[in-house]
Amino acid sequence: MKTLNMKLARIPLAGSSIGAVECRMVLSALQSGRLALGPLARKLERRLARYVGVRHAVAVSSGTAGLHLAVRALGLTEGDEVITTPFSFVASSSCLLYERVRPVFVDIDPKTLNIAPTLVEAAVTPRTRAILGVDVFGLPADWPALRRIARRFGLALIEDSCEALGTSLGRLRCGAFGDVGVFAFYPNKQITTGEGGMVVTNSRGIAEACRSMANHGRRAVGMNWFEHVRLGYNYRMDELSAALGIAQLTRIRTLLARRRRIAAEYRRLLADEPGITLQADPPGAVVSWFVFVVRLAPEFSRADRDGIIKTLYSRGIECADYFRPIHLQPVFRNRFGFRRGDFPVTEAAADRTIALPFAPSLTRQDILRVAAELRRAIAVRKLGRFTRQPVGGSSV
Ligand SMILES: *Cc1c(COP(=O)(O)O)cnc(C)c1O
């Protein structure tokens, strides 16, 4: 058992920060006897709307449910096209498939890894109805540019801000730029409700449509329990989740500051590592970090990246290959006939990204260890390339 004891402690990729406030508020919700359709979800909605700077918020059971409602509230349907990014978590596009809306992917900006506005403009067709942008890894998409394009062509603008609660760009917070925005509260996000999400909008019509659809199609106001005025779902957030969310939101400054400190520490320790590039904050942005992602230099292949991740895992360091491009996911590839090479900037980035451990529980020692192990793994991989034939597939 000695060898087991000597094993280095595992450093987790992600995690939540659950403290005394969370425990107290969830217990109190539990003891209230009101577990669903109560005052806490409403309270979380009001507070989150105020925090983001929008008029309306509708609490839902997940970010994905929120995206689905956003798509439906905008009336998007079969035959419509929505321009979006292939470099994202799958849910930002599966929400379109639920309604048989066609995702029209365009490539990303190689610096921010967010959708490239000039390419969006070039992809507009008579069938285009909306632009769906994503704040990848917490970095804001170029919302002012996307909004200009949306206005010029009469398109709706959907913000998947599921990774960017608290990020601002200029005077606005992410979620407040478009016709409708969506946040997610899965345990690895900036704040958590267990499972949960929030739709935000300045439009009363969109808010009421989402509220109604999330609640079996009952009327949003003056609800009659057995009257269903539209096709609805059960996408409601329960009261225990809402209690957790309220507690987390009261601590959001602390939670975001901790994430910012971890990111700053990684940047300081890795700034001079020639094997990687770090994401730079877009001008005018204050970033609320979702994950901390480094990108290997172009000389490295996907096999190199996978090898480095494997090495880090063997050293007790959890990391991940965020994101595998959506157009190459079997469900999209098979349906639309996408191929490798369709979105080269996305693919080149996706082949070389490594998300480093970014849990709130990380200590300075953990961060030092991750940085040192990453440098070592990169150096070993580089050495291997000179001393033997490279193994595995090519990069693109
Ligand atoms: C997390 C996330 C979602 C959806 O979140 P769930 O709450 O897990 O459904 C959607 N889009 C992006 C970009 C995300 O990161």
Side-chain angles (χ1 to χ4, degrees):
M1 287 296 101
K2 228 179 192 151
T3 49
L4 267 183
N5 288 338
M6 276 160 50
K7 236 174 149 178
L8 287 165
R10 201 176 48 92
I11 303 180
L13 177 63
S16 326
S17 164
I18 304 297
V21 192
E22 281 80 358
C23 295
R24 185 156 32 83
M25 294 190 74
V26 173
L27 186 62
S28 153
L30 189 58
Q31 288 167 332
S32 77
R34 188 101 186 240
L35 302 186
L37 276 168
L40 295 175
R42 288 294 113 83
K43 190 168 173 176
L44 179 61
E45 289 170 350
R46 282 195 304 272
R47 293 200 176 172
L48 194 108
R50 200 180 324 138
Y51 178 77
V52 174
V54 291
R55 278 199 210 110
H56 309 279
V58 179
V60 289
S61 53
S62 72
T64 306
L67 286 166
H68 184 198
L69 294 186
V71 166
R72 280 194 64 94
L74 291 171
L76 303 176
T77 187
E78 185 156 16
D80 292 341
E81 294 178 355
V82 172
I83 302 172
T84 190
T85 173
F87 191 71
S88 171
F89 180 63
V90 69
S92 66
S93 287
S94 28
C95 66
L96 301 173
L97 265 52
Y98 299 157
E99 297 300 324
R100 300 180 178 280
V101 172
R102 172 179 278 269
V104 174
F105 293 121
V106 300
D107 220 333
I108 55 173
D109 179 295
K111 282 206 286 292
T112 62
L113 305 185
N114 276 317
I115 194 165
T118 48
L119 299 178
V120 170
E121 199 168 343
V124 175
T125 76
R127 286 173 176 273
T128 309
R129 295 280 313 279
I131 301 168
L132 193 163
V134 181
D135 299 306
V136 170
F137 305 146
L139 271 68
D142 188 349
W143 294 113
L146 295 174
R147 198 155 63 171
R148 274 195 299 276
I149 298 166
R151 288 226 176 105
R152 173 133 43 92
F153 292 97
L155 310 173
L157 185 59
I158 306 172
E159 288 186 76
D160 179 344
S161 296
C162 287
E163 304 191 351
L165 180 63
T167 292
S168 59
L169 182 63
R171 294 190 342 269
L172 292 186
R173 284 223 160 103
C174 284
F177 286 95
D179 296 287
V180 54
V182 179
F183 294 101
F185 307 132
Y186 185 74
N188 67 345
K189 313 281 180 176
Q190 283 89 339
I191 70 168
T192 188
T193 58
E195 299 281 5
M198 193 75 75
V199 181
V200 295
T201 179
N202 284 315
S203 151
R204 176 190 294 270
I206 290 175
E208 288 186 354
C210 289
R211 188 176 301 290
S212 168
M213 284 188 287
N215 186 20
H216 295 295
R218 294 178 177 118
R219 287 182 202 281
V221 283
M223 190 216 296
N224 177 334
W225 193 250
F226 289 115
E227 188 191 21
H228 307 278
V229 295
R230 53 161 67 78
L231 178 62
Y233 307 84
N234 181 353
Y235 282 170
R236 296 179 308 237
M237 179 184 284
D238 67 84
E239 289 288 281
L240 301 183
S241 301
L244 182 50
I246 292 166
Q248 291 260 288
L249 197 53
T250 61
R251 294 178 55 225
I252 192 162
R253 278 169 164 276
T254 315
L255 296 175
L256 297 189
R258 189 176 299 169
R259 295 177 99 93
R260 203 156 44 237
R261 272 202 303 278
I262 298 173
E265 191 69 4
Y266 271 138
R267 278 180 163 178
R268 193 176 67 77
L269 291 167
L270 294 170
D272 64 345
E273 167 57 51
I276 55 172
T277 48
L278 304 174
Q279 273 180 291
D281 300 0
V286 178
V287 173
S288 163
W289 292 91
F290 168 53
V291 286
F292 193 84
V293 172
V294 301
R295 228 172 330 153
L296 295 172
E299 65 185 283
F300 293 96
S301 67
R302 181 152 51 117
D304 288 328
R305 189 275 311 275
D306 294 346
I308 289 169
I309 288 182
K310 218 165 142 194
T311 304
L312 289 171
Y313 254 95
S314 75
R315 306 288 298 164
I317 292 165
E318 285 185 6
C319 35
D321 57 343
Y322 293 165
F323 295 110
R324 303 193 186 182
I326 297 177
H327 68 285
L328 297 180
Q329 296 287 354
V331 55
F332 284 82
R333 192 179 195 146
N334 297 340
R335 194 174 299 214
F336 298 104
F338 292 120
R339 277 174 313 190
R340 191 159 258 276
D342 285 346
F343 304 100
V345 183
T346 293
E347 291 162 20
D351 283 348
R352 293 174 183 81
T353 46
I354 305 176
L356 301 180
F358 201 62
S361 61
L362 253 61
T363 63
R364 259 189 69 94
Q365 290 313 308
D366 291 334
I367 299 167
L368 285 168
R369 206 178 108 203
V370 173
E373 292 287 1
L374 176 64
R375 282 178 183 276
R376 190 173 148 275
I378 291 172
V380 168
R381 196 77 199 176
K382 219 167 181 171
L383 209 64
R385 292 155 62 85
F386 287 117
T387 54
R388 62 175 155 73
Q389 282 295 95
V391 277
S394 68
S395 51
V396 181

